Amino acid sequence: MSQPTNLQVTKPPRTKFYTTMLLIVTIILTSAWYIEANPMTIIQNWDGIFLILTQMFPPDLNFMFRATSAMLDTIRMALIGTTFGALMALPILFLCASNVARSRWIHQPARILLNILRTVPDLLLAAIFAAILGYNAFAGIVALSIFSIGIIAKLSFEAVENIDPGPLESMTSVGANKIQWIVFGVIPQVLPQFTSYVLYTFEINVRAAAILGLVGAGGIGVLYQQATGFFRYDQVLGLILYTFIVVLIIDFISLKIRERLI
């Protein structure tokens, strides 16, 4: 049986790909032009950037170690804010999960509320609560608590919706009420994921708490504000290095715990 010798492979048309890329590039360039994001600004201000970079070295390590008390306050803010946020996220995430709150009139408004919470940036929350509660760490804790609700509830309710329905159907068949259904059927299935999301949120909150002091919410951010206000960029670099080391340690510990949970 003879075989064709000169087979020609027809490549699919690339028109769609090129059109999509052209559209994306056009949107990016139009956005940059609209907000006047001119890359030449960096080149024009390079002298100022170079001056600040040279003033950062060597970093003030003595100031870095004097910031330990403020750093511990930052970690405490993140820890308390994450804990309160996790507790407040629990009822919200069950109301958002469509397999727990089956009525559309319950889970849709709960999701809208959750989206509203997630829309407000943590820095804006800190500025608002600092104006209401005073310029102290408590304002930062309240801001981080609300910020944590948005992250933990969003990630957790999606995990609840993906659980195995078998145990829930068995409990329903033997007459379990809604509370028993959640406590013995839902929570055991999502507890590892929920704990993992809480640890992940704690990592984020440590970074967020480090800058909340810029709006007067306490923590190491206050020292950032003071150092930049006095143009002590060597102290700023010392604080950046200190924050970097602490975040690395927390990331490592959190990663190990999450690896054991999931």
Side-chain angles (χ1 to χ4, degrees):
M1 184 176 179
S2 63
Q3 297 291 333
T5 56
N6 295 321
L7 289 177
Q8 291 184 350
V9 178
T10 304
K11 294 182 179 179
R14 306 280 290 175
T15 308
K16 185 177 180 180
F17 172 75
Y18 291 129
T19 304
T20 303
M21 293 303 297
L22 179 63
L23 182 62
I24 292 173
V25 171
T26 303
I27 292 173
I28 292 173
L29 292 178
T30 305
S31 301
W33 171 79
Y34 190 78
I35 62 174
E36 299 179 354
N38 185 2
M40 291 301 295
T41 304
I42 297 176
I43 298 174
Q44 292 168 355
N45 293 280
W46 176 248
D47 291 342
I49 296 172
F50 182 74
L51 178 63
I52 290 176
L53 289 176
T54 54
Q55 290 177 352
M56 281 185 164
F57 292 93
D60 189 343
L61 299 181
N62 291 326
F63 182 75
M64 185 176 85
F65 290 112
R66 289 202 304 272
T68 298
S69 177
M71 178 58 77
L72 290 176
D73 285 345
T74 299
I75 297 173
R76 293 184 190 111
M77 286 169 56
L79 180 64
I80 299 171
T82 307
T83 303
F84 280 126
L87 293 175
M88 290 187 285
L90 278 172
I92 297 176
L93 72 93
F94 288 124
L95 292 174
C96 290
S98 59
N99 57 344
V100 176
R102 297 185 183 278
S103 172
R104 181 182 296 271
W105 296 102
I106 295 177
H107 65 251
Q108 287 296 351
R111 292 182 185 185
I112 292 173
L113 171 64
L114 188 59
N115 287 332
I116 293 172
L117 289 178
R118 294 173 61 240
T119 301
V120 185
D122 54 346
L123 206 57
L124 178 59
L125 286 171
I128 293 172
F129 286 109
I132 297 172
L133 304 173
Y135 294 95
N136 50 51
F138 183 64
I141 291 172
V142 176
L144 290 176
S145 298
I146 296 176
F147 178 67
S148 302
I149 293 173
I151 300 176
I152 297 172
K154 168 68 176 176
L155 295 174
S156 298
F157 95 73
E158 292 176 349
V160 170
E161 290 187 332
N162 291 318
I163 62 175
D164 181 8
L168 307 181
E169 293 170 357
S170 300
M171 294 182 67
T172 303
S173 64
V174 296
N177 61 37
K178 200 71 173 182
I179 300 297
Q180 294 170 327
W181 203 69
I182 292 174
V183 172
F184 299 107
V186 178
I187 291 180
Q189 293 194 62
V190 297
L191 188 59
Q193 290 93 337
F194 178 78
T195 308
S196 174
Y197 297 146
V198 171
L199 290 171
Y200 172 67
T201 307
F202 175 63
E203 295 173 25
I204 296 175
N205 281 347
V206 171
R207 299 185 184 93
I211 61 169
L212 293 188
L214 296 175
V215 293
I220 202 169
V222 176
L223 299 183
Y224 273 111
Q225 186 183 36
Q226 293 174 356
T228 53
F230 288 107
F231 305 104
R232 291 298 307 272
Y233 296 110
D234 55 337
Q235 294 182 351
V236 172
L237 182 57
L239 293 174
I240 291 173
L241 292 174
Y242 199 7
T243 306
F244 174 69
I245 293 169
V246 170
V247 169
L248 274 185
I249 294 172
I250 292 175
D251 278 353
F252 178 77
I253 296 173
S254 176
L255 177 64
K256 292 300 177 186
I257 294 175
R258 281 188 280 130
E259 283 178 350
R260 289 180 175 273
L261 288 173
I262 299 180

